[in-house]
Amino acid sequence: MRVLSGIQPTGNLHLGNYLGAIRNWVRMQDEMDADSQCFFFLADMHSITVHEGREQRIRNVRDMAAALVAAGIDPDRSVLFNQARVPAHAELCWLLNGTARIGWLNRMTQFKDKAGKDREGASVGLFVYPVLQAADILIYNATHVPVGEDQKQHLELCRDIATKFNTDFGVDLFTLPAPIIPKESARIMSLRDGTAKMSKSDPSDMSRINLTDDDDAIMAKVKKAKSDQELLPETAEGLTGRPEASNLVGILATLTGRTTDAVCAEFAGKGFGAFKPALGEVLVETLRPIRQRFLELRTEDAALDAILDKGAAKAAAAAEPTLRAAYDAMGLMR
Ligand code: TYM
């Protein structure tokens, strides 16, 4: 079993990243047996699709490394690194650009969302972004990729690229990865709009809970979260057509390891005036220790750089045989 996943080091780690992906990374790391390996990385090469100044980009990578360690990624057990330190990702991406089809990339909903109306003005990097993502996964022959629901299409594309490369060059080089998507928290929604996903790029900070938010800010955001006037139903079925209510109940269920039915049963007949403080409490208690560790770690630049350097050396060694085989399969002499 080879587990791999990545996160863009832009802005803050938020509750959607944490519940949709990072918590699963930590679980998979903690349940790993001796034959398995976990690779977690900061997708800084992907983050060039968002304009950022030099100093900020450097800060973002260290901050996200600190956030992952604070959330439970152990750099002694998992390979933790940033993409830019392992050039094999970019090299394999270029080779796979010969395999990926424009028609496939044209179907990517994330590109359509991010490019918006001005597709002609979007960067080429944004368009080929999913090919680099495929390279990230295939270079390690990852078998399991824990991600949120929004990455499912990119994973399908990755499998298509792997299959076509293997077929075109008559090799059995790339392993087809399986997405690992949590059932309950695959899509954490915005606190301001239950139909939009919680995201770093939402201009309203009230739409998300950041790892850096203090106890008061978390409670205030939960209390101001959009909800509805109805009472909570006896079972989760009664949440149909109530996106904000479903999201808040889903978050509490995920945090407490219960089903949405169990949470509904507890609050049945009560309004959000009673529900929100309970949710806020659990969030505060869950995030406080992570935030405290993060605030300590993020001041230790040298230690963070050392973690990333060490991780990159391990990752580069693991990537090398696949990269060499890909060049060889294509008849490219290195
Ligand atoms: P990114 O940085 O947008 O998000 C990191 C992870 O968080 C998940 N996520 C969510 N899950 C549930 N609800 C939400 N509201 C929510 N928002 C984000 C994402 O699904 C993701 O798992 N392209 C990727 C990074 C990447 C990658 C890879 C992932 C690059 N190469 C290779 C896996 C394998 C991205 O931008 O994630």
Side-chain angles (χ1 to χ4, degrees):
M1 189 163 151
R2 267 220 175 159
V3 177
L4 170 131
S5 201
I7 182 166
Q8 286 202 63
T10 37
N12 237 306
L13 192 72
H14 58 71
L15 188 69
N17 300 134
Y18 181 64
L19 295 181
I22 315 303
R23 222 171 51 142
N24 251 355
W25 300 8
V26 175
R27 280 195 188 141
M28 293 179 89
Q29 163 194 275
D30 292 348
E31 286 164 12
M32 210 170 47
D33 61 28
D35 296 331
S36 308
Q37 257 181 314
C38 290
F39 292 80
F40 299 118
F41 67 94
L42 314 172
D44 52 358
M45 299 285 277
H46 277 114
S47 78
I48 64 163
T49 54
V50 178
H51 180 74
E52 198 68 273
R54 177 178 188 279
E55 298 310 316
Q56 188 61 50
R57 208 184 286 286
I58 293 171
R59 186 70 257 151
N60 285 349
V61 167
R62 290 181 180 143
D63 274 0
M64 194 56 88
L68 294 184
V69 174
I73 298 299
D74 174 354
D76 290 327
R77 281 187 290 158
S78 294
V79 182
L80 177 63
F81 62 101
N82 62 307
Q83 253 172 342
R85 278 184 163 88
V86 186
H89 291 236
E91 278 188 79
L92 182 63
C93 173
W94 180 252
L95 302 187
L96 298 180
N97 277 337
T99 303
R101 305 287 97 182
I102 288 182
W104 298 354
L105 294 177
N106 266 333
R107 285 198 285 277
M108 294 297 115
T109 54
Q110 194 149 315
F111 172 72
K112 289 183 205 166
D113 289 348
K114 291 199 173 166
K117 289 202 183 77
D118 185 19
R119 273 180 74 152
E120 298 290 307
S123 72
V124 175
L126 192 63
F127 188 65
V128 298
Y129 179 117
V131 186
L132 179 58
Q133 183 160 349
D136 298 335
I137 300 168
L138 300 178
I139 195 93
Y140 302 105
N141 282 311
T143 54
H144 297 78
V145 183
V147 284
E149 172 81 29
D150 62 349
Q151 296 301 316
K152 199 170 166 209
Q153 197 187 30
H154 288 165
L155 263 289
E156 279 157 13
L157 178 85
C158 172
R159 294 170 62 96
D160 288 343
I161 293 175
T163 306
K164 182 164 165 57
F165 186 101
N166 285 346
T167 312
D168 285 355
F169 296 103
V171 287
D172 188 16
L173 177 58
F174 295 128
T175 307
L176 301 194
I180 305 293
I181 299 176
K183 266 199 206 83
E184 341 74 55
S185 53
R187 236 174 124 73
I188 301 292
M189 309 311 271
S190 156
L191 299 182
R192 308 301 300 163
D193 173 1
T195 63
K197 85 173 176 188
M198 185 178 286
S199 138
K200 308 172 213 206
S201 50
D202 192 317
S204 165
D205 194 57
M206 294 304 283
S207 71
R208 66 186 155 259
I209 297 202
N210 302 304
L211 181 61
T212 44
D213 291 340
D214 63 20
D215 295 357
D216 292 345
I218 295 173
M219 198 49 105
K221 284 180 178 182
V222 172
K223 289 195 176 156
K224 288 205 181 114
K226 191 171 168 201
S227 55
D228 57 36
Q229 301 301 323
E230 290 174 54
L231 301 177
L232 283 143
E234 309 245 320
T235 64
E237 220 187 323
L239 294 169
T240 314
R242 300 171 64 186
E244 284 81 19
S246 302
N247 189 39
L248 296 177
V249 169
I251 293 174
L252 184 58
T254 304
L255 288 169
T256 53
R258 286 181 294 169
T259 61
T260 43
D261 274 334
V263 172
C264 284
E266 185 189 340
F267 289 93
K270 295 189 178 147
F272 281 95
F275 179 86
K276 283 177 170 177
L279 171 61
E281 274 302 309
V282 175
L283 269 170
V284 162
E285 295 302 323
T286 307
L287 295 180
R288 188 189 295 127
I290 304 179
R291 177 178 69 248
Q292 285 170 347
R293 275 197 301 275
F294 167 72
L295 292 174
E296 284 162 25
L297 286 166
R298 79 180 293 253
T299 60
E300 297 176 23
D301 287 356
L304 293 168
D305 289 350
I307 288 174
L308 295 175
D309 269 337
K310 201 172 111 194
K314 286 191 210 156
E320 176 57 24
T322 319
L323 186 64
R324 191 182 318 126
Y327 273 98
D328 184 65
M330 298 175 79
L332 293 164
M333 300 303 157
R334 271 168 114 197

